[in-house]
Amino acid sequence: MGNIFGKIFSITTFGESHGVAIGVTINGCPAGIPIDMAFIQSELSRRKPGQSKITTQRKEEDEVEILSGVFEGLSTGTPIGLLIRNKDQKSKDYSHIAEKFRPSHADYTYHEKYGVRDYRGGGRSSARETAARVAAGAVAKLMLKEFGISFHAYVSQVGTLKLEKSYEQLDLSKTEDNAVRCPDPEMAQQMFDYIDDVRKSQDTVGGVVTGVIKGVPVGLGEPVFDKLHAELGKAMLSINAVKGFEYGSGFEGIKMKGSAHNDAFYVEDGTVKTKTNLSGGIQGGISNGQDIYFNVAFKPVATIMQDQASIDTQGNEVTVSGKGRHDPCVVPRAVPIVEAMAALVIADFYLIARTNKLRG
Amino acid sequence: MGNIFGKIFSITTFGESHGVAIGVTINGCPAGIPIDMAFIQSELSRRKPGQSKITTQRKEEDEVEILSGVFEGLSTGTPIGLLIRNKDQKSKDYSHIAEKFRPSHADYTYHEKYGVRDYRGGGRSSARETAARVAAGAVAKLMLKEFGISFHAYVSQVGTLKLEKSYEQLDLSKTEDNAVRCPDPEMAQQMFDYIDDVRKSQDTVGGVVTGVIKGVPVGLGEPVFDKLHAELGKAMLSINAVKGFEYGSGFEGIKMKGSAHNDAFYVEDGTVKTKTNLSGGIQGGISNGQDIYFNVAFKPVATIMQDQASIDTQGNEVTVSGKGRHDPCVVPRAVPIVEAMAALVIADFYLIARTNKLRG
Amino acid sequence: MGNIFGKIFSITTFGESHGVAIGVTINGCPAGIPIDMAFIQSELSRRKPGQSKITTQRKEEDEVEILSGVFEGLSTGTPIGLLIRNKDQKSKDYSHIAEKFRPSHADYTYHEKYGVRDYRGGGRSSARETAARVAAGAVAKLMLKEFGISFHAYVSQVGTLKLEKSYEQLDLSKTEDNAVRCPDPEMAQQMFDYIDDVRKSQDTVGGVVTGVIKGVPVGLGEPVFDKLHAELGKAMLSINAVKGFEYGSGFEGIKMKGSAHNDAFYVEDGTVKTKTNLSGGIQGGISNGQDIYFNVAFKPVATIMQDQASIDTQGNEVTVSGKGRHDPCVVPRAVPIVEAMAALVIADFYLIARTNKLRG
Amino acid sequence: MGNIFGKIFSITTFGESHGVAIGVTINGCPAGIPIDMAFIQSELSRRKPGQSKITTQRKEEDEVEILSGVFEGLSTGTPIGLLIRNKDQKSKDYSHIAEKFRPSHADYTYHEKYGVRDYRGGGRSSARETAARVAAGAVAKLMLKEFGISFHAYVSQVGTLKLEKSYEQLDLSKTEDNAVRCPDPEMAQQMFDYIDDVRKSQDTVGGVVTGVIKGVPVGLGEPVFDKLHAELGKAMLSINAVKGFEYGSGFEGIKMKGSAHNDAFYVEDGTVKTKTNLSGGIQGGISNGQDIYFNVAFKPVATIMQDQASIDTQGNEVTVSGKGRHDPCVVPRAVPIVEAMAALVIADFYLIARTNKLRG
C-alpha cells in the first residue's frame, strides 16, 4: 500500500535508495501530449544531489529512461514507464547501521512494521524515491502547459531567515539563479551562507518552500473529502521531512476577523476576480481562478555528521556515527519536488473536472 | 467524486444542509464491534449547534438512526448505514442569496463547476455535512477503544489568544468542562469572552484545534504517499474552514538544528521510547508508539452579520447582507470533528497494517 | 469492503433484507441530469416481488425516497442518496434458521467470515440488496438516455427451454408484455407454464438473461484490466445466483475458426461498421460502436420448499425445512437488475472516456 | 486507467509489445515472503512463445529482472518492481499495418479512443502484456504457497474437442507433460494434431482453460460487488481473447432443479464439507473451503495467415495480409496466465480477509 498517488492521472512508484533502480508508472495520462524527454531530464537535474557545496556531494546521475507509453513523441494513453538506474549503490559498507536505529529516521518504524528491512541508505524511506515523483511530475507539467497552467516554487525560509515578501512582490523567474532557489538575491546569499555554516558545524536546519500555481481554471477540486487543498496538503506532507502545510492565509489567518479575511468578488474585463486572495485561490475546496499559493514546512533532516546515542535492534544502547554525504538543508532540492507533486494533483483534478457536468 | 474517505475502513457521505437528510455508509468496518448508539449520539451532540451563546443558535437535533450493519448490538461486517434527518430545513427564504455569490464561500466555485447549485444554506458545502463524519468517527472510536487507542482534541488558540502550554502540561479531561473546549480554565474564560465580543461586533474569528492520539501501536501508516501524517493532514484539511495542518514540531521545527530536533531512542521496561517527541509520534510516515499530536488552523468563518459587496450570477455588483444564525468562531464545535477524522484515519491504517507481514 | 462499485460514477450500497432499510449513495453523477423519480420508481417496480404467480408473493413496496443530490429536478453533481424502507421485516420468526446453515446459501460462509450474522432472510446476502442497484441503475440510464444509449435485457432460457433466436430476430419492445420477460410470446408461454410446474413441485430452476446495449459510442472501456467486458462480467457475476457470463460469440465461439470468427470492417454512410458482430461490440476491451450483447447464467435458487439435510453452527446434523415465499425462477425479476448493472458500467466508462485525450 | 489490478495486493503494469520493455510493480505484497527468482522465471517460460510447433515461433526470452522490494531473498513490504526487456522488437517493418485496421483486433478501437496508436505488434493490446501478469502472479503464488493454496489450470477444450472428464477425474500433475497442457494424454494428442492441422490451414481455433484452486480457506471474497467469483471472472475476462467465464455448475447448472443443485453440508473429521460442489467452492461470493473451479472461454485469435478485407484509417477498403509468427490456438500458453490471474485475486482477498473481524 501507499505507493500509488492519484485517481485518474495516477502514479505508481517503486525502488529503494540502494537497490537496482527506482521508477514510476504513470497511469491515465491522456493521449496526445508532446513528451519532451529533455524537459523531464532537466527537472530531474534540478533535484539531483551535488549541485553546489550546500547540497550533498553524493553523485546520482538520475538518467531517466522511457520504457513505454510514448510513440513518435506523443503520449499514447497507455501507461508511461520511467526508469532511473541507481549507479552509486554498490560497494558501500552499511554494516555500521544494519542493526542500529538512527534517531528520527524510519529505521525503527520500518523494522517493527515489516520485520524485514533494506537498511542500505534508508531503503524505501530515502528521499531518493522522490526522483520518481519529479519525473512523473514533469509529465504532468507538460500536459498542463498545454492549458496554460504553470508551477513556481521557491525557498522562502531557512532556519530563522524568513523572506518577508509575498510571492507577488518577488520576481519568480530568478528562483533558479542561485543554489538556494530563493528569488530574492540578497536573502538567497544570506541563506546560502547560513546553510554553509550549518554544514561546517556538521548539523542540519529546516526551511520552508512556497508554492505558487498560476493559470488554474475555475472548478478544479472535489467537494468534501477530496478538496483541492486537502489533496495538495496530502501531496506535500507525503514528501520526506515535511512537517506542515498551509495555504492562502494559513496559520496567520487565524488571527484575523472574518470581515477582513473575506475576499470580495468583482468583475474585470468580463472575468470574475477577488480583491484580496486570502483564500489562496481555493473556495469550498474548489479552485476559483485566482493564484493558488501555499507553504510547506521541512524539518532539519535527521542525518547529521555527529555522534548520537540510540539503540540497536536488540534494544542495546549504541552510538550512531554520522557518515556519508548528506544535505545540511533540504529545501533547495525540495523545490522541484514540491512543484512535481503540485502538478500531479492539478493534472488529476483537471481530468476529473471533465466528468462534473452532463456535457463535459 | 470526493465523497468517499478511506481504503478499507471507508465512509461514503451524502446530504445537503437543507435537503431531506444527511447520512453516511461505513464500508469495511470489522464484525464484532459493540455499537453503542448512545455514544454515537453523544458525539453528535458535541458537534451540534446551539450549545452555548458562542455557538450558532440554529436548532439541529441531529438525531441519528441506524439503518443496517448492526445485529444484536454488534457490527456484522456489512455496511453500517447512518441517517440524520434535517428537521429545520423547510420554510426558510433563501431568495436573497439564490443569485448572489457570498464572499469566501463556495457559492461561486460550485456554480461554475456544476452549473446547478442547491443554494439553500450552502448546500453540500455547508459544515452540516460534518455531522455525518462525526457519526462515522464515533464508530471508528468504538473500534479503536477495543485496542486502547483514544482521541483528545481541544481548542488551543482563538484569534491571538494562544495557549502556550503543550498538551502534556494540560489536564485534557477538562476539555469538555467549558463551552470553548479549552482544557485550561483561565484561558477558556478569556477565549469565551473574546468570542462573545466578536459575536457582538457581528464578526467572526479563527482558531486552532490541537489533536492528540494516545495508544497507537508501532507500525501504522504506509510509506511514500499514504504516510500517516499525510492522510491525517488530508483528513483535517478536508474539514470546512481549515487552512493549515502541522504535526510534531511543525512550522516551529523549521528553526531548529537537526542535532536538537532528533528524538533519541531508549528502552524503558522493555519498551522502546524516545526522549523527546518532536517527531509527533510518526517517523517515515509510520507511527512509532509515542503520542501523535498535531495542530489544525481554522480561518474566521466567511458568514458575518455585516453587509458586504459582491457580485451576482450575472456579474452585477450587489450587496450581500448578513442574516441567519452562525458561529462567531468554529473551533469549539470543530473539536469533535477533528477527533472523528483522526479516528477514521487510524481505524483505516489499523486494518491495513494487518496486511503488512506474511503472517498478519 | 465490497459495497462500492465504479470508479467515477460509483455507488455505495447498504442494507439487510430484514433490517430497517436498504439504500444507495451515487457518487460522481454529473450535474444537470433531469432526475425523473417516476422512472426510478417504475424500474423498482419491475424488480419487486409479487408481480405474478411465478414470482414470490412476498410484499415489498420498494418505495424509494430521494435524500440528496437533486435540486429543482436536476442532479447537482453532489452525491445522490436513495432510501428504501423495509416494510415487511418485523414480526417474522427466524428462529428455525438462526442456528442452521441452509444448503448453497451464504449462511455458512458469512458465519465463518464474520463470526456475527444477521440471519433474518439472508441478511446482506439476500437478493433484496439488488433493489438499491436498480434504483442507482435507473439514474445511470437517465444520464445515458441523454446520449442515445439504451438497455434491453430479456429472458432467453429457462431450464432447458432455450430461445434459439438471436436478439436481432426478436422484437425487444415486447419483453415487458409477459410475466416471464421473454419477447417471444410463444416461448414466453412455455416458460411460464414450466416455471409454474416447478413452483408446484416446490422446486426451483435456473435460466439465462440476455442483455443488449445499443447506441454505445466507440471508445468506452479501458485497456488491460478494466476492459469493458471484464467490468461488465464482474457486474453481472456480482448479482445473486449468477454462475456464468459470456459476450459476443461467447462459449460457442470456441468452436469456430478465426477466419469465420473475425468481423470484417466496412464503411456505410460514413460510419465504420462490421459485417458480423461476433465481437459483441467490444474489441480489445473497448466498444467499437456496434451493439453490445451478452448472456448471464442464473442457477436454480437455493431456497426450495422441501426438507433438506444440513448442519447447524455446532456441526450437528439437522433438517432445514422450506418455508416462506420465494421465486421458483429468478430470471424474470433479474431482467431489470441486469440492465441496471450494465447501465452503471457504461455510465462509469462514459465519464472515464472523457479523460482519454489531451482535449477531452 | 485500467492498468492497476487489486486493492491491497495490487499490480500496476506497463509496456507495449514492441516498445523498450514491459514491467509490473507489485504494491502491497506483505514482507517476509521468500522470493524464488528461479520460480518466477520458470513461470514466464511456461508462457513464452516458441515452446513447440503449435505455438508461435516468435522468440521472446522473457528474462525478468527484479528492481526493488526484495532484500536478502525476502520481500520487504515495499513495492516489487519487475522488468522484462523486449529483445525482438527492433528492425521489423510494420508499415503494412500502420494505417490499416486488422479485423477483430484492437486497432480501430485504440485509434478512435486515443487518436494516437503504437501499431507495432498490437502495442499495448498485444498478449505480450500478459508476461507482466505471469511474473506478478508468480509472486502471489509464492505467498499463497506458504498457506497451502495451489493453482492448477489446464486445457479442457480445443475447438469441438472437449474433455468430458471433470478435474477430479484427471491427474492434474500431468498437465505439463505435453505441449497442449491437457492432463489427459490421449485427448492431448488429439488436440495437438488438430491444432497443427489448423496451423497448416493458416487459421486459428478457440478453446477452454479450466482452472482449479485448492486449499483456499473459508471466508475469502467480499459480499455484494466484490464477490470472489466476480473478481475472478473480471480477472479472466481481462485476459486477451477471453469471451466467457463460468464457475461451479456454470451454464450447465441452468438446466438443473434447485433440489439437485444444492450442495448438502456435512461434517467429516471435524471439518465442514459439502457432498457435491456445484457451488464451485463459493457461496454468497465467499469461499466455503471446497475446491474452486471454473472455465474460461478463449476465441480463435484474430491474427490469421490469410488475406482479409478491411478498411484503413481513411475509411478506404484495403486487404490485410497475414504475416509474422502467431499462435494457431492460444489456450496452451494461456494456462499459466489463468493461474497467475487467479493467484492475484486470491492473494488480494487473502489479505483483505484479515480485516473482516475485530480481532483479525
Side-chain angles (χ1 to χ4, degrees):
Chain A
M1 296 289 287
N3 303 290
I4 299 178
F5 186 79
K7 286 191 166 63
I8 293 284
F9 190 110
S10 80
I11 65 170
T12 306
T13 69
F14 66 84
E16 276 81 40
S17 173
H18 287 63
V20 176
I22 62 169
V24 58
T25 303
I26 306 171
N27 187 13
C29 180
I33 301 172
I35 300 299
D36 178 346
M37 285 304 293
F39 175 71
I40 299 174
Q41 191 61 60
S42 72
E43 288 291 282
L44 280 167
S45 298
R46 292 174 70 203
R47 194 213 72 95
K48 79 170 180 187
Q51 298 176 54
S52 81
K53 70 174 174 179
I54 60 162
T55 60
T56 169
Q57 297 306 299
R58 228 174 28 248
K59 269 227 182 115
E60 294 170 12
E61 278 315 311
D62 285 357
E63 209 173 305
V64 67
E65 183 186 14
I66 194 154
L67 302 176
S68 64
V70 177
F71 189 62
E72 298 177 347
L74 293 178
S75 63
T76 61
T78 64
I80 300 175
L82 296 170
L83 188 74
I84 304 167
R85 296 261 165 198
N86 292 330
K87 296 204 171 142
D88 200 21
Q89 89 257 32
K90 52 246 133 180
S91 49
K92 228 180 278 152
D93 181 16
Y94 278 92
S95 57
H96 66 294
I97 57 159
E99 303 292 316
K100 293 177 181 175
F101 297 137
R102 291 168 299 162
S104 290
H105 274 86
D107 301 342
Y108 171 65
T109 51
Y110 269 65
H111 181 87
E112 290 295 305
K113 184 180 185 70
Y114 296 116
V116 184
R117 178 169 63 95
D118 181 349
Y119 47 76
R120 299 167 304 165
R124 183 71 177 146
S125 73
S126 163
R128 171 136 189 80
E129 161 269 317
T130 57
R133 306 186 189 204
V134 170
V139 175
K141 281 185 176 182
L142 288 170
M143 167 183 148
L144 295 167
K145 197 177 73 171
E146 300 283 325
F147 303 107
I149 303 172
S150 60
F151 299 84
H152 314 267
Y154 60 92
V155 170
S156 59
Q157 185 171 353
V158 170
T160 54
L161 291 169
K162 188 175 179 180
L163 196 54
E164 296 295 349
K165 296 171 185 166
S166 82
Y167 79 90
E168 290 176 299
Q169 298 165 310
L170 294 163
D171 178 356
L172 299 185
S173 72
K174 291 188 174 164
T175 301
E176 296 294 314
D177 290 356
N178 58 69
V180 179
R181 294 204 166 91
C182 173
D184 182 290
E186 256 176 86
M187 179 55 91
Q189 189 58 50
Q190 287 181 52
M191 287 172 169
F192 187 93
D193 295 343
Y194 180 59
I195 297 173
D196 202 37
D197 285 351
V198 170
R199 181 182 67 81
K200 286 176 188 155
S201 66
Q202 313 206 306
D203 216 329
T204 60
V205 70
V208 173
V209 174
T210 296
V212 183
I213 316 176
K214 289 172 173 288
V216 177
V218 189
L220 304 201
E222 297 293 311
V224 185
F225 300 117
D226 298 348
K227 291 187 167 87
L228 176 41
H229 57 267
E231 283 293 344
L232 209 49
K234 177 181 167 179
M236 298 306 149
L237 288 156
S238 78
I239 301 171
N240 298 40
V242 171
K243 304 289 287 191
F245 170 84
E246 61 181 0
Y247 77 103
S249 62
F251 276 88
E252 276 304 304
I254 294 165
K255 304 170 190 164
M256 297 176 75
K257 298 279 171 62
S259 53
H261 192 275
N262 284 354
D263 297 320
F265 288 111
Y266 70 104
V267 177
E268 192 175 73
D269 302 333
T271 304
V272 173
K273 296 186 175 176
T274 61
K275 288 185 186 163
T276 50
N277 183 19
L278 292 158
S279 300
I282 304 172
Q283 290 173 331
I286 299 166
S287 61
N288 70 354
Q290 305 308 108
D291 291 344
I292 293 172
Y293 63 95
F294 55 91
N295 291 321
V296 188
F298 290 79
K299 70 168 185 178
V301 280
T303 308
I304 57 176
M305 295 298 100
Q306 307 173 19
D307 284 358
Q308 297 178 86
S310 192
I311 58 170
D312 66 15
T313 57
Q314 306 305 314
N316 303 310
E317 294 184 11
V318 294
T319 297
V320 173
S321 307
K323 240 182 139 175
R325 298 152 298 179
H326 294 275
D327 287 290
C329 182
V330 291
V331 287
R333 287 179 56 210
V335 164
I337 306 170
V338 164
E339 287 182 7
M341 291 309 295
L344 290 168
V345 169
I346 299 297
D348 200 21
F349 278 127
Y350 195 95
L351 295 176
I352 291 171
R354 289 183 180 169
T355 70
N356 289 144
K357 292 181 192 172
L358 183 57
R359 303 193 194 269
Chain B
M1 297 289 290
N3 302 289
I4 299 178
F5 187 79
K7 287 192 167 60
I8 294 284
F9 190 110
S10 81
I11 65 171
T12 306
T13 69
F14 67 84
E16 277 80 41
S17 173
H18 287 63
V20 177
I22 63 169
V24 58
T25 302
I26 307 171
N27 187 12
C29 180
I33 301 171
I35 300 298
D36 178 347
M37 285 304 293
F39 175 71
I40 299 174
Q41 191 62 59
S42 72
E43 289 289 282
L44 280 167
S45 299
R46 292 174 70 204
R47 194 213 71 96
K48 80 170 178 187
Q51 297 176 54
S52 81
K53 69 175 174 177
I54 60 161
T55 60
T56 169
Q57 297 307 298
R58 227 173 31 246
K59 268 227 182 113
E60 295 170 9
E61 278 315 311
D62 286 356
E63 209 173 304
V64 67
E65 183 186 13
I66 193 154
L67 301 175
S68 65
V70 178
F71 189 62
E72 298 178 346
L74 293 177
S75 64
T76 61
T78 63
I80 300 176
L82 297 170
L83 188 73
I84 304 167
R85 296 262 166 198
N86 292 329
K87 296 202 172 146
D88 201 23
Q89 89 256 32
K90 54 246 133 180
S91 49
K92 230 181 277 149
D93 182 15
Y94 279 92
S95 57
H96 65 294
I97 58 159
E99 302 292 316
K100 294 177 181 175
F101 297 138
R102 291 169 300 163
S104 290
H105 274 86
D107 301 343
Y108 171 64
T109 51
Y110 269 66
H111 182 87
E112 291 293 306
K113 184 180 184 70
Y114 296 116
V116 184
R117 177 169 65 96
D118 181 348
Y119 47 76
R120 299 167 305 166
R124 182 71 177 147
S125 73
S126 162
R128 171 138 189 78
E129 162 269 319
T130 57
R133 307 186 189 203
V134 170
V139 174
K141 281 184 175 181
L142 288 170
M143 166 184 149
L144 295 167
K145 197 177 72 170
E146 300 284 325
F147 303 108
I149 303 172
S150 60
F151 299 84
H152 313 268
Y154 61 92
V155 170
S156 59
Q157 185 172 353
V158 169
T160 54
L161 291 168
K162 188 174 177 179
L163 196 53
E164 296 295 350
K165 297 171 184 165
S166 83
Y167 79 91
E168 290 177 300
Q169 298 166 309
L170 295 163
D171 178 356
L172 299 185
S173 71
K174 291 188 174 164
T175 301
E176 296 293 313
D177 290 356
N178 58 69
V180 178
R181 293 204 167 91
C182 173
D184 182 291
E186 256 176 86
M187 179 54 91
Q189 189 58 50
Q190 286 180 53
M191 287 173 170
F192 187 93
D193 294 343
Y194 180 59
I195 297 173
D196 201 36
D197 284 350
V198 168
R199 182 183 67 81
K200 285 174 188 157
S201 67
Q202 312 206 306
D203 217 328
T204 60
V205 70
V208 172
V209 174
T210 295
V212 182
I213 316 176
K214 289 174 173 286
V216 177
V218 189
L220 304 201
E222 297 292 311
V224 185
F225 301 116
D226 298 349
K227 290 187 166 87
L228 176 41
H229 57 267
E231 282 293 343
L232 209 50
K234 177 182 167 178
M236 298 306 149
L237 287 156
S238 77
I239 301 171
N240 299 40
V242 171
K243 304 289 287 191
F245 170 83
E246 61 180 1
Y247 78 104
S249 61
F251 277 87
E252 276 305 303
I254 294 165
K255 304 171 190 163
M256 297 176 74
K257 298 279 172 62
S259 53
H261 193 275
N262 283 354
D263 297 320
F265 288 111
Y266 71 104
V267 177
E268 192 176 73
D269 301 332
T271 303
V272 173
K273 296 185 175 176
T274 61
K275 288 186 185 164
T276 49
N277 183 19
L278 293 158
S279 299
I282 304 172
Q283 290 173 331
I286 300 166
S287 61
N288 69 355
Q290 305 309 107
D291 291 345
I292 293 172
Y293 63 95
F294 55 90
N295 290 322
V296 187
F298 290 80
K299 72 169 184 177
V301 280
T303 308
I304 57 177
M305 296 298 100
Q306 307 173 18
D307 284 359
Q308 298 177 86
S310 191
I311 57 170
D312 66 15
T313 57
Q314 305 305 314
N316 303 310
E317 294 184 10
V318 294
T319 297
V320 173
S321 307
K323 240 180 138 176
R325 299 152 299 178
H326 294 275
D327 288 290
C329 181
V330 291
V331 286
R333 287 179 57 210
V335 164
I337 306 170
V338 165
E339 288 181 8
M341 291 309 296
L344 290 167
V345 169
I346 299 296
D348 199 22
F349 279 126
Y350 194 95
L351 296 176
I352 291 170
R354 289 183 181 171
T355 70
N356 289 143
K357 291 181 192 171
L358 183 57
R359 307 197 190 266
Chain C
M1 296 290 288
N3 303 290
I4 299 178
F5 187 79
K7 288 193 166 61
I8 293 285
F9 190 108
S10 81
I11 65 171
T12 306
T13 69
F14 67 84
E16 275 82 38
S17 173
H18 287 63
V20 177
I22 63 169
V24 57
T25 303
I26 306 171
N27 187 13
C29 181
I33 301 172
I35 300 298
D36 178 346
M37 285 304 293
F39 175 71
I40 299 174
Q41 191 62 59
S42 72
E43 288 290 282
L44 280 167
S45 299
R46 292 174 71 203
R47 193 213 70 97
K48 81 171 176 185
Q51 297 176 54
S52 82
K53 69 174 173 178
I54 60 161
T55 60
T56 170
Q57 297 306 301
R58 225 172 34 246
K59 270 228 182 110
E60 293 171 10
E61 276 315 310
D62 285 356
E63 209 173 303
V64 67
E65 183 185 14
I66 194 154
L67 302 174
S68 64
V70 178
F71 189 61
E72 298 176 347
L74 293 178
S75 63
T76 61
T78 64
I80 299 176
L82 296 170
L83 189 74
I84 304 167
R85 295 261 166 199
N86 292 330
K87 294 201 173 148
D88 200 23
Q89 88 257 32
K90 54 243 134 184
S91 49
K92 232 186 270 150
D93 181 15
Y94 279 90
S95 56
H96 65 295
I97 58 159
E99 302 292 317
K100 293 177 181 175
F101 297 139
R102 290 169 300 164
S104 290
H105 274 86
D107 300 343
Y108 171 64
T109 52
Y110 270 66
H111 182 87
E112 290 294 304
K113 185 181 184 69
Y114 297 117
V116 183
R117 177 167 65 95
D118 181 348
Y119 47 75
R120 300 168 304 166
R124 183 71 177 147
S125 73
S126 163
R128 172 138 190 79
E129 161 270 318
T130 58
R133 307 187 189 201
V134 170
V139 175
K141 281 184 176 182
L142 288 170
M143 166 184 150
L144 295 168
K145 198 177 71 171
E146 301 283 326
F147 304 109
I149 302 172
S150 60
F151 299 84
H152 314 268
Y154 62 91
V155 171
S156 59
Q157 185 171 352
V158 170
T160 54
L161 291 168
K162 189 173 176 180
L163 196 52
E164 296 296 347
K165 297 172 185 165
S166 83
Y167 78 92
E168 289 177 301
Q169 299 166 307
L170 294 163
D171 178 356
L172 299 185
S173 72
K174 291 188 175 164
T175 301
E176 296 294 312
D177 289 357
N178 58 69
V180 180
R181 291 202 168 92
C182 172
D184 182 291
E186 255 176 86
M187 178 54 93
Q189 188 59 49
Q190 286 181 52
M191 287 172 169
F192 186 94
D193 294 343
Y194 180 60
I195 297 172
D196 201 35
D197 285 350
V198 169
R199 181 183 67 81
K200 285 175 189 156
S201 67
Q202 313 205 305
D203 217 328
T204 59
V205 70
V208 172
V209 174
T210 296
V212 182
I213 317 176
K214 289 172 173 288
V216 177
V218 190
L220 304 201
E222 297 293 311
V224 185
F225 301 116
D226 298 350
K227 292 187 165 87
L228 176 41
H229 57 267
E231 282 294 342
L232 208 50
K234 177 182 167 179
M236 298 306 148
L237 288 157
S238 78
I239 301 171
N240 299 41
V242 171
K243 303 289 286 192
F245 170 84
E246 60 180 1
Y247 78 103
S249 62
F251 276 87
E252 277 304 302
I254 294 165
K255 304 169 190 165
M256 297 177 76
K257 298 279 171 60
S259 52
H261 192 274
N262 283 354
D263 296 320
F265 287 111
Y266 70 103
V267 177
E268 192 175 73
D269 302 332
T271 303
V272 174
K273 295 185 176 177
T274 61
K275 287 184 186 165
T276 49
N277 184 19
L278 292 159
S279 300
I282 305 172
Q283 291 174 330
I286 300 167
S287 61
N288 71 353
Q290 305 309 108
D291 290 344
I292 292 172
Y293 63 95
F294 55 91
N295 291 321
V296 187
F298 290 80
K299 70 169 186 178
V301 279
T303 307
I304 57 177
M305 295 300 98
Q306 307 173 18
D307 283 0
Q308 297 178 87
S310 191
I311 58 170
D312 66 12
T313 57
Q314 306 305 313
N316 303 310
E317 294 183 13
V318 294
T319 298
V320 173
S321 307
K323 242 182 139 174
R325 298 153 298 177
H326 295 277
D327 288 290
C329 182
V330 291
V331 287
R333 289 178 56 209
V335 164
I337 306 170
V338 164
E339 287 182 8
M341 291 309 296
L344 290 167
V345 169
I346 299 297
D348 200 21
F349 279 127
Y350 195 96
L351 295 176
I352 291 171
R354 288 184 180 168
T355 70
N356 289 143
K357 293 181 192 172
L358 182 58
R359 305 196 193 267
Chain D
M1 295 291 287
N3 302 290
I4 298 177
F5 187 79
K7 288 193 166 60
I8 293 286
F9 189 108
S10 80
I11 65 171
T12 305
T13 69
F14 66 83
E16 275 82 39
S17 173
H18 287 63
V20 177
I22 63 169
V24 57
T25 303
I26 306 171
N27 187 13
C29 180
I33 301 172
I35 300 298
D36 178 347
M37 285 305 293
F39 175 71
I40 300 174
Q41 191 62 58
S42 72
E43 288 291 281
L44 279 167
S45 299
R46 291 174 71 204
R47 194 213 71 96
K48 80 170 178 187
Q51 298 175 54
S52 82
K53 70 175 173 177
I54 61 161
T55 60
T56 169
Q57 297 306 301
R58 225 172 33 246
K59 269 229 183 110
E60 293 172 10
E61 276 316 310
D62 285 355
E63 210 172 304
V64 66
E65 183 185 15
I66 193 155
L67 302 175
S68 64
V70 177
F71 188 62
E72 297 176 348
L74 294 177
S75 64
T76 60
T78 63
I80 299 176
L82 296 170
L83 188 74
I84 303 167
R85 295 262 166 198
N86 292 329
K87 295 201 173 147
D88 201 23
Q89 88 256 32
K90 53 244 135 180
S91 48
K92 233 185 271 150
D93 181 14
Y94 279 91
S95 56
H96 65 296
I97 58 158
E99 301 293 316
K100 293 176 183 176
F101 297 138
R102 291 169 300 164
S104 289
H105 274 86
D107 300 343
Y108 171 64
T109 51
Y110 269 67
H111 182 86
E112 290 295 304
K113 184 180 184 71
Y114 296 116
V116 182
R117 178 169 63 95
D118 181 348
Y119 48 74
R120 300 168 304 166
R124 182 72 176 146
S125 73
S126 163
R128 171 139 189 79
E129 162 270 317
T130 58
R133 306 187 189 202
V134 170
V139 175
K141 281 185 177 182
L142 288 170
M143 166 184 149
L144 295 167
K145 197 177 73 171
E146 300 283 325
F147 303 108
I149 303 172
S150 60
F151 299 83
H152 314 268
Y154 62 92
V155 170
S156 59
Q157 185 172 353
V158 170
T160 54
L161 292 169
K162 189 173 176 180
L163 196 53
E164 295 296 348
K165 297 172 185 164
S166 83
Y167 78 91
E168 290 177 300
Q169 299 165 308
L170 295 163
D171 179 355
L172 300 185
S173 72
K174 292 188 176 164
T175 301
E176 296 294 314
D177 289 357
N178 57 69
V180 179
R181 291 204 169 91
C182 173
D184 182 290
E186 256 176 86
M187 178 55 91
Q189 189 58 49
Q190 287 181 52
M191 287 172 168
F192 186 93
D193 294 343
Y194 180 60
I195 297 173
D196 201 35
D197 285 350
V198 169
R199 181 182 66 81
K200 286 174 189 156
S201 67
Q202 312 206 308
D203 216 329
T204 60
V205 70
V208 173
V209 174
T210 296
V212 182
I213 318 175
K214 290 172 172 288
V216 177
V218 190
L220 305 200
E222 298 293 310
V224 185
F225 301 116
D226 298 348
K227 291 186 165 88
L228 176 41
H229 57 268
E231 283 294 344
L232 209 50
K234 177 181 167 178
M236 297 306 148
L237 288 156
S238 78
I239 300 171
N240 298 41
V242 172
K243 302 290 286 191
F245 169 84
E246 60 180 1
Y247 77 103
S249 62
F251 276 87
E252 276 304 302
I254 294 165
K255 304 170 189 165
M256 297 176 77
K257 298 279 172 62
S259 52
H261 192 275
N262 283 354
D263 296 320
F265 287 111
Y266 71 104
V267 177
E268 192 175 75
D269 302 332
T271 303
V272 174
K273 297 186 174 175
T274 60
K275 288 184 186 164
T276 50
N277 184 18
L278 292 158
S279 299
I282 304 171
Q283 290 174 331
I286 299 166
S287 61
N288 69 354
Q290 305 309 106
D291 290 344
I292 293 172
Y293 63 95
F294 55 90
N295 291 321
V296 187
F298 289 80
K299 70 168 185 178
V301 279
T303 307
I304 57 177
M305 296 299 99
Q306 307 173 18
D307 283 1
Q308 297 177 87
S310 191
I311 58 169
D312 66 14
T313 56
Q314 306 305 313
N316 304 311
E317 293 183 13
V318 295
T319 297
V320 172
S321 307
K323 242 182 139 174
R325 297 153 299 178
H326 295 277
D327 287 291
C329 181
V330 291
V331 286
R333 288 179 56 210
V335 164
I337 306 170
V338 164
E339 287 182 8
M341 291 309 295
L344 290 167
V345 169
I346 299 297
D348 199 21
F349 278 127
Y350 195 96
L351 296 176
I352 291 170
R354 289 184 181 168
T355 70
N356 288 143
K357 292 181 192 171
L358 182 57
R359 306 197 191 266

